[in-house]
Amino acid sequence: MHISKPKSPLEQLRPVLNLLADGEVHSGESLGAALGVSRAAVWKQLQKLTHYGLVLESVKGRGYRLPGGLNLLSSDAVEAGLDAAARDLLRQLIVCDEVDSTNAQLLTRLERDDGHGVAMLAERQTAGRGRRGRSWISPFSAGINLSIGWQFSGGVQLLEGLSLAVGVALARALEEFGVPDVRLKWPNDVWCRGRKLAGVLLELSGDLTDRCGVVVGIGLNVGLRGDSAAAIDQPWIDLHSVRPGIDRNRLAAAMLNRLLPLLRSYTEPGPERGFSAYRDAWLALDQFAGRPVRLQSASREWCGTAAGVDSSGALILDMDGERKLFHGGEVSLREDGE
Ligand code: BT5
């Protein structure tokens, strides 16, 4: 006997969301008829939408609409945008309405030896993660929350500089859609016009000296709504404010088209292996190049001039003529005076 999982509250709202996604006015009656429920039941569902940060407009005497509509994710639409190389490398694409964290889900899959080549996209994360216990704010349909699982042999040192290379791949994907002023901030941010547009979170599993797995997680803001964004404690930006109208499914596909081959070339022997193939591109996009910066770790801070990254992706700081290298994600970078 097949017992299906009970639907989450958000999944229960999917049918009404699908109807309202066109941004047009729908009467309570027509919604009720399409959904096969009473008008009172429709009203109850509509009230729940606000819980997910969606702004429902009531148009007097005519019905309801979601101004601007919704550009919902669909696995078919993402798959349609994949090129041959990405199709070849992608073993499974999962598109879901709501999860705790796409990275957490894929880590579990990797631990079960079932996460390689799996990509997961979620409309909403209830516990989206940043680095070192921080959170990633990911309200319903407001961005791209994407994780990819990848398994490989040869130990974790092969991944040196990977978060920077992922940044380069994201910048290239954004350029395809004409997004202007994209820059990278060491070690894992994509910025636009001096504010954070996207973040990258790498998480590891398995035997770090041999056969191991990495989850590449990316959160990118497409259209953040005011209320939910209030919790972000640093300057942020979304694509709507710089280049409105980008289709999330096409953008997600463009990201996969670049990230899947990147993961293969990074972890398999060949001329493209490792960060050196991406270094020049990273330097050309460096948000802080030549600027005075402050670098903080849990216990110390350093001041100097940002002088790019070396061939392993380590940050170079110029401090009174002396160059010092900084590795890993233990530090954060701020402009002086911030
Ligand atoms: C990151 O961490 O920037 C990595 C974010 C990775 C998120 C993706 S979403 C898919 C996958 N599944 C997950 O659970 N995570 C990944 P970090 O450098 O630690 O930055 C976190 C900081 O960014 C927070 O402390 C806030 O200051 C800020 N922040 C949080 N949400 C943001 C948002 N939506 N836009 C811009 N900044 C945000």
Side-chain angles (χ1 to χ4, degrees):
M1 186 172 63
H2 175 75
I3 302 173
S4 56
K5 225 173 92 194
K7 283 188 174 161
S8 74
L10 185 53
E11 280 166 345
Q12 290 169 21
L13 295 174
R14 234 324 155 133
V16 75
L17 281 172
N18 286 340
L19 293 168
L20 291 168
D22 62 8
E24 302 293 328
V25 180
H26 295 261
S27 69
E29 205 168 13
S30 69
L31 289 172
L35 300 169
V37 299
S38 68
R39 282 182 69 171
V42 168
W43 175 234
K44 247 178 148 173
Q45 291 193 19
L46 294 178
Q47 279 179 313
K48 287 186 189 151
L49 297 183
T50 53
H51 176 69
Y52 297 100
L54 296 169
V55 182
L56 185 76
E57 196 178 273
S58 158
V59 184
K60 212 165 173 239
R62 293 182 53 212
Y64 311 93
R65 70 181 192 116
L66 283 174
L70 282 175
N71 170 215
L72 294 169
L73 293 172
S74 116
S75 51
D76 287 348
V78 175
E79 270 163 24
L82 295 177
D83 61 24
R87 264 171 224 272
D88 222 36
L89 296 167
L90 184 68
R91 203 166 55 80
Q92 189 187 0
L93 173 67
I94 305 165
V95 177
C96 51
D97 278 340
E98 183 173 74
V99 286
D100 51 354
S101 145
T102 53
N103 262 37
Q105 296 287 322
L106 277 191
L107 271 178
T108 308
R109 294 271 309 240
L110 279 180
E111 274 147 28
R112 294 201 314 246
D113 211 7
D114 185 30
H116 178 70
V118 178
M120 177 181 260
L121 283 158
E123 288 283 12
R124 175 177 193 252
Q125 295 182 114
T126 52
R129 335 212 258 224
R131 293 176 304 145
R132 282 176 267 139
R134 294 189 287 253
S135 341
W136 184 257
I137 307 291
S138 19
F140 184 76
S141 88
I144 290 184
N145 309 300
L146 168 66
S147 296
I148 305 172
W150 201 259
Q151 219 143 27
F152 59 96
S153 298
V156 74
Q157 74 272 11
L158 290 179
L159 302 183
E160 200 172 59
L162 178 63
S163 72
L164 284 75
V166 168
V168 170
L170 294 177
R172 295 280 177 265
L174 290 164
E175 278 163 16
E176 272 181 50
F177 292 83
V179 179
D181 308 322
V182 175
R183 297 282 179 276
L184 299 175
K185 178 194 164 202
W186 189 88
N188 71 319
D189 281 10
V190 180
W191 277 30
C192 181
R193 300 191 173 158
R195 289 179 278 161
K196 183 158 176 165
L197 174 68
V200 177
L201 174 67
L202 304 184
E203 295 188 270
L204 304 167
S205 90
D207 173 0
L208 303 188
T209 63
D210 183 19
R211 180 145 179 81
C212 52
V214 61
V215 176
V216 177
I218 293 146
L220 182 145
N221 299 323
V222 178
L224 274 186
R225 289 169 294 267
D227 278 3
S228 39
I232 304 176
D233 57 2
Q234 64 169 291
W236 58 269
I237 194 163
D238 61 13
L239 290 181
H240 274 185
S241 50
V242 279
R243 174 78 37 163
I246 295 176
D247 180 76
R248 283 196 304 149
N249 292 302
R250 287 186 51 224
L251 179 57
M255 287 160 64
L256 288 168
N257 286 341
R258 291 182 184 271
L259 292 169
L260 288 160
L262 179 150
L263 283 167
R264 184 187 43 195
S265 64
Y266 232 83
T267 52
E268 282 178 11
E272 295 278 290
R273 193 168 199 171
F275 179 64
S276 42
Y278 297 88
R279 179 168 176 248
D280 287 347
W282 197 93
L283 293 174
L285 292 162
D286 186 356
Q287 169 80 28
F288 289 97
R291 290 162 74 178
V293 291
R294 178 161 43 100
L295 190 72
Q296 295 174 302
S297 73
S299 55
R300 274 200 68 177
E301 79 173 44
W302 293 264
C303 289
T305 303
V309 292
D310 76 355
S311 58
S312 72
L315 178 74
I316 306 167
L317 269 200
D318 228 327
M319 293 182 291
D320 298 326
E322 197 194 325
R323 296 202 140 192
K324 202 168 158 55
L325 290 178
F326 294 87
H327 295 271
E330 300 306 313
V331 285
S332 62
L333 185 64
R334 290 278 188 269
E335 274 188 279
D336 270 1
E338 248 183 28

